[in-house]
Amino acid sequence: MSLRELRLYRVALPARQQYTMSNSAVSTPFSTVVELIDSDGLRGYGEVCLASPQYQSAHSAGVVASFELLAPAVLGLDPLQHSVVNAAMNASLDGHPEGKAAIDIACWDLAGKALKRHVVDLLGGAATDRILTYHVVGISDADTAAADAVRLQDTGITRIQLKAGGRPIDQDIDAIRAVAGVMRPSTDLAVDTNRGWTSGEAIRVSNACAGLTLSLEQPCATEAELAAIKPHLRHPLIVDENATDLRSIARQITQGTADGFGLKISRLGGLSTMQAVRNLCHSARVPMSSDDAWGGDIIAAAGVALGATLDPALSRGAWIAHPYHQTHYDDTHGPRLENGYVTLPRGGHGLGLVLEDGCFGDPVAVYHR
Ligand code: 0XW
Ligand code: MG
């Protein structure tokens, strides 16, 4: 089998509720869906969706443009040969992991359909079909954040990520203390500033919240800042935006900077690299999440598939965007929140989704072999 055609679709996934991070508010991200058609007529799907122009160093129009080089590089190749496909993409265009991720995911979906297996099995097999997830409490005043945290825990959520940063630091400290005060036993709180604090602010918050059980996710903007503040923190440090590739992840493990990772498939270039990172985190006993910044059922199914293969003791959860935009591509099998967990889609083979022809409208670009 070989790749014959690549089609691109653009899908709007507007936030249905206020979703604010330190550097941006998510309004209407546009998802890029990749459809790969092989010589046997099988169709594999991949997706990438940037949450906002500020969350990561990529622009959605640039993602679409990257396929001008990536599509010709992969058409004609065997989608089961993930290393060959990734090598061809890297030889055609340096960086740009987002478009590469969408193609890589589509190849894994195709491989599952060709082999009549689920992607989760090809990734090593599920430790569980009920995958832990976490839910975001956006930036808001202390009382509102605490009320959100209570409501979410009442629905079964056990992992909460509280957004912070981008405002006076005392307001962050008040919100952190209020949410920590309503967290229940066997729950977990991460405070994620998406690079929003200075080094001094991060140390100040950690000291002010010293007695509280929580972790600090990406408090500052750079790997150097995180390494510098790590010895002064009273809390575990989770690396997200600075986990840009296998080399940077290995470095932050060996240097002792990272006590865990918030990993995004699109930033790492796809499931092939995520599988390698999972193996590294397993061997180093470093917890990781398996998710992305935004997106629909396809990227959610990819994150949940990899998340299902994690050692449960090392899983920080698989986050999905569906609760925030309420849009499904597959109304029956699309991943959704159920009592604090996400169920692995097992509809069709591959990613486990059943996508109707034409469900994404007309393609915005088509590349032929
Ligand atoms: C919570 N997320 C997975 C979704 C947001 O877009 C950003 C990301 C994070 O952890 O920062
Ligand atoms: Mg994060």
Side-chain angles (χ1 to χ4, degrees):
M1 65 191 286
S2 62
L3 296 174
R4 283 283 179 267
E5 189 168 311
L6 184 152
R7 296 179 181 173
L8 285 185
Y9 302 88
R10 296 260 290 153
V11 183
L13 293 174
R16 298 291 186 216
Q17 61 187 25
Q18 180 72 3
Y19 187 99
T20 308
M21 297 182 272
S22 64
N23 50 26
S24 57
V26 176
S27 56
T28 306
F30 275 85
S31 191
T32 300
V33 171
V34 165
E35 179 181 34
L36 282 178
I37 304 169
D38 76 8
S39 48
D40 300 330
L42 288 175
R43 295 162 188 259
Y45 294 89
E47 178 181 20
V48 60
C49 186
L50 308 179
S52 70
Q54 297 83 8
Y55 168 67
Q56 63 198 76
S57 55
H59 187 284
S60 58
V63 171
V64 173
S66 69
F67 291 97
E68 289 172 15
L69 293 175
L70 296 175
V74 301
L75 291 177
L77 298 182
D78 179 343
L80 275 71
Q81 297 182 341
H82 302 302
S83 299
V84 170
V85 170
N86 276 273
M89 290 197 286
N90 292 332
S92 74
L93 178 63
D94 188 34
H96 295 79
E98 296 81 13
K100 296 174 181 176
I103 289 176
D104 180 74
I105 293 165
C107 285
W108 279 90
D109 189 31
L110 262 178
K113 289 169 178 173
L115 300 171
K116 294 185 174 27
R117 296 301 301 268
H118 288 112
V119 167
V120 64
D121 298 325
L122 304 183
L123 288 170
T128 173
D129 269 29
R130 282 182 76 237
I131 295 89
L132 182 71
T133 189
Y134 61 94
H135 204 288
V136 166
V137 172
I139 290 177
S140 52
D141 64 83
D143 292 343
T144 303
D148 276 355
V150 168
R151 175 180 55 80
L152 289 168
Q153 291 175 91
D154 289 344
T155 67
I157 289 286
T158 61
R159 299 287 185 279
I160 286 179
Q161 183 189 82
L162 173 64
K163 293 297 189 184
R167 62 181 175 177
I169 204 75
D170 289 330
Q171 293 177 21
D172 281 336
I173 293 171
D174 289 347
I176 293 167
R177 284 173 172 163
V179 171
V182 300
M183 296 299 288
R184 296 167 193 169
S186 75
T187 61
D188 182 89
L189 173 62
V191 176
D192 186 1
T193 70
N194 297 104
R195 302 174 289 166
W197 288 332
T198 65
S199 300
E201 288 173 329
I203 293 169
R204 180 179 157 198
V205 171
S206 194
N207 287 330
C209 300
L212 304 179
T213 303
L214 54 90
S215 56
L216 297 176
E217 182 169 328
Q218 200 65 47
C220 303
T222 67
E223 186 177 327
E225 286 172 282
L226 298 188
I229 66 171
K230 180 69 168 69
H232 307 285
L233 296 181
R234 312 282 192 101
H235 301 93
L237 179 59
I238 306 299
V239 176
D240 181 337
E241 284 84 341
N242 291 150
T244 54
D245 56 23
L246 193 55
R247 185 184 303 183
S248 68
I249 289 169
R251 183 171 57 244
Q252 293 173 95
I253 290 174
T254 51
Q255 287 175 351
T257 304
D259 297 305
F261 292 101
L263 296 177
K264 310 301 180 268
I265 299 175
S266 65
R267 193 166 56 227
L268 291 172
L271 282 171
S272 301
T273 304
M274 276 290 276
Q275 186 183 37
V277 168
R278 176 205 62 198
N279 296 344
L280 173 63
C281 286
H282 274 177
S283 66
R285 307 296 296 160
V286 173
M288 59 176 271
S289 76
S290 171
D291 45 45
D292 219 287
W294 202 260
D297 289 339
I298 298 166
I299 192 71
V304 167
L306 192 286
T309 69
L310 285 172
D311 174 343
L314 297 176
S315 173
R316 296 190 61 249
W319 184 88
I320 62 171
H322 175 258
Y324 310 89
H325 59 62
Q326 304 291 326
T327 303
H328 274 309
Y329 304 150
D330 174 347
D331 283 324
T332 306
H333 308 100
R336 69 209 62 212
L337 213 52
E338 291 174 0
N339 301 322
Y341 290 81
V342 181
T343 304
L344 194 62
R346 289 196 185 260
H349 292 123
L351 290 170
L353 300 173
V354 179
L355 301 174
E356 300 300 328
D357 281 353
C359 69
F360 299 113
D362 293 331
V364 296
V366 180
Y367 299 90
H368 298 280
R369 162 78 172 156

